mmCIF file of all heavy atoms in Angstrom:
data_model
loop_
_atom_site.group_PDB
_atom_site.id
_atom_site.type_symbol
_atom_site.label_atom_id
_atom_site.label_comp_id
_atom_site.label_asym_id
_atom_site.label_seq_id
_atom_site.Cartn_x
_atom_site.Cartn_y
_atom_site.Cartn_z
ATOM 1 N N THR A 29 -152.486 2.396 -19.787
ATOM 2 C CA THR A 29 -151.952 1.074 -19.889
ATOM 3 C C THR A 29 -151.928 0.492 -21.352
ATOM 4 O O THR A 29 -151.597 -0.613 -21.496
ATOM 5 C CB THR A 29 -152.971 0.081 -19.035
ATOM 6 O OG1 THR A 29 -154.243 0.117 -19.669
ATOM 7 C CG2 THR A 29 -153.025 0.557 -17.575
ATOM 8 N N THR A 30 -152.159 1.385 -22.206
ATOM 9 C CA THR A 30 -152.168 0.963 -23.670
ATOM 10 C C THR A 30 -151.091 1.743 -24.424
ATOM 11 O O THR A 30 -151.016 2.906 -24.339
ATOM 12 C CB THR A 30 -153.599 1.226 -24.394
ATOM 13 O OG1 THR A 30 -154.631 0.587 -23.551
ATOM 14 C CG2 THR A 30 -153.571 0.682 -25.750
ATOM 15 N N ASP A 31 -150.235 0.936 -25.212
ATOM 16 C CA ASP A 31 -149.187 1.698 -25.899
ATOM 17 C C ASP A 31 -149.801 2.091 -27.325
ATOM 18 O O ASP A 31 -150.912 1.909 -27.748
ATOM 19 C CB ASP A 31 -147.971 0.838 -25.939
ATOM 20 C CG ASP A 31 -148.239 -0.509 -26.694
ATOM 21 O OD1 ASP A 31 -149.130 -0.501 -27.664
ATOM 22 O OD2 ASP A 31 -147.695 -1.520 -26.288
ATOM 23 N N GLY A 34 -151.564 -0.143 -29.695
ATOM 24 C CA GLY A 34 -152.922 -0.685 -29.309
ATOM 25 C C GLY A 34 -152.948 -1.819 -28.380
ATOM 26 O O GLY A 34 -153.891 -2.477 -28.212
ATOM 27 N N ASN A 35 -151.851 -2.150 -27.759
ATOM 28 C CA ASN A 35 -151.672 -3.248 -26.863
ATOM 29 C C ASN A 35 -151.755 -2.968 -25.470
ATOM 30 O O ASN A 35 -151.427 -1.786 -25.079
ATOM 31 C CB ASN A 35 -150.418 -4.063 -27.188
ATOM 32 C CG ASN A 35 -150.197 -4.475 -28.582
ATOM 33 O OD1 ASN A 35 -151.111 -5.107 -29.195
ATOM 34 N ND2 ASN A 35 -149.121 -4.238 -29.250
ATOM 35 N N THR A 36 -152.361 -3.775 -24.673
ATOM 36 C CA THR A 36 -152.708 -3.486 -23.332
ATOM 37 C C THR A 36 -151.699 -3.804 -22.327
ATOM 38 O O THR A 36 -151.769 -3.446 -21.101
ATOM 39 C CB THR A 36 -154.033 -4.189 -22.912
ATOM 40 O OG1 THR A 36 -153.740 -5.570 -23.015
ATOM 41 C CG2 THR A 36 -155.032 -3.804 -23.850
ATOM 42 N N GLY A 37 -150.649 -4.560 -22.703
ATOM 43 C CA GLY A 37 -149.587 -4.909 -21.704
ATOM 44 C C GLY A 37 -149.937 -6.139 -20.945
ATOM 45 O O GLY A 37 -149.277 -6.408 -19.952
ATOM 46 N N ASP A 38 -150.923 -6.909 -21.265
ATOM 47 C CA ASP A 38 -151.226 -8.160 -20.652
ATOM 48 C C ASP A 38 -150.161 -9.153 -20.935
ATOM 49 O O ASP A 38 -149.736 -9.257 -22.152
ATOM 50 C CB ASP A 38 -152.564 -8.650 -21.175
ATOM 51 C CG ASP A 38 -152.943 -10.050 -20.580
ATOM 52 O OD1 ASP A 38 -153.198 -10.148 -19.473
ATOM 53 O OD2 ASP A 38 -152.830 -10.932 -21.474
ATOM 54 N N THR A 41 -151.049 -11.322 -23.980
ATOM 55 C CA THR A 41 -150.967 -10.562 -25.204
ATOM 56 C C THR A 41 -149.576 -10.127 -25.539
ATOM 57 O O THR A 41 -149.165 -10.155 -26.728
ATOM 58 C CB THR A 41 -151.826 -9.258 -24.986
ATOM 59 O OG1 THR A 41 -153.126 -9.591 -24.651
ATOM 60 C CG2 THR A 41 -151.728 -8.532 -26.331
ATOM 61 N N ALA A 246 -145.614 -1.051 -23.603
ATOM 62 C CA ALA A 246 -146.442 -1.578 -22.518
ATOM 63 C C ALA A 246 -146.298 -3.104 -22.553
ATOM 64 O O ALA A 246 -146.245 -3.815 -21.566
ATOM 65 C CB ALA A 246 -147.920 -1.171 -22.743
ATOM 66 N N ASP A 247 -146.278 -3.677 -23.820
ATOM 67 C CA ASP A 247 -146.036 -5.198 -23.969
ATOM 68 C C ASP A 247 -144.689 -5.634 -23.415
ATOM 69 O O ASP A 247 -144.661 -6.594 -22.830
ATOM 70 C CB ASP A 247 -146.169 -5.594 -25.458
ATOM 71 C CG ASP A 247 -147.506 -5.551 -25.987
ATOM 72 O OD1 ASP A 247 -148.478 -6.089 -25.210
ATOM 73 O OD2 ASP A 247 -147.868 -5.173 -27.133
ATOM 74 N N ALA A 250 -144.880 -5.635 -19.550
ATOM 75 C CA ALA A 250 -145.684 -6.778 -19.121
ATOM 76 C C ALA A 250 -144.796 -7.986 -19.241
ATOM 77 O O ALA A 250 -144.819 -8.957 -18.477
ATOM 78 C CB ALA A 250 -146.920 -6.797 -19.859
#
Side-chain angles (χ1 to χ4, degrees):
T29 62
T30 304
D31 59 37
N35 298 314
T36 61
D38 173 74
T41 304
D247 281 321

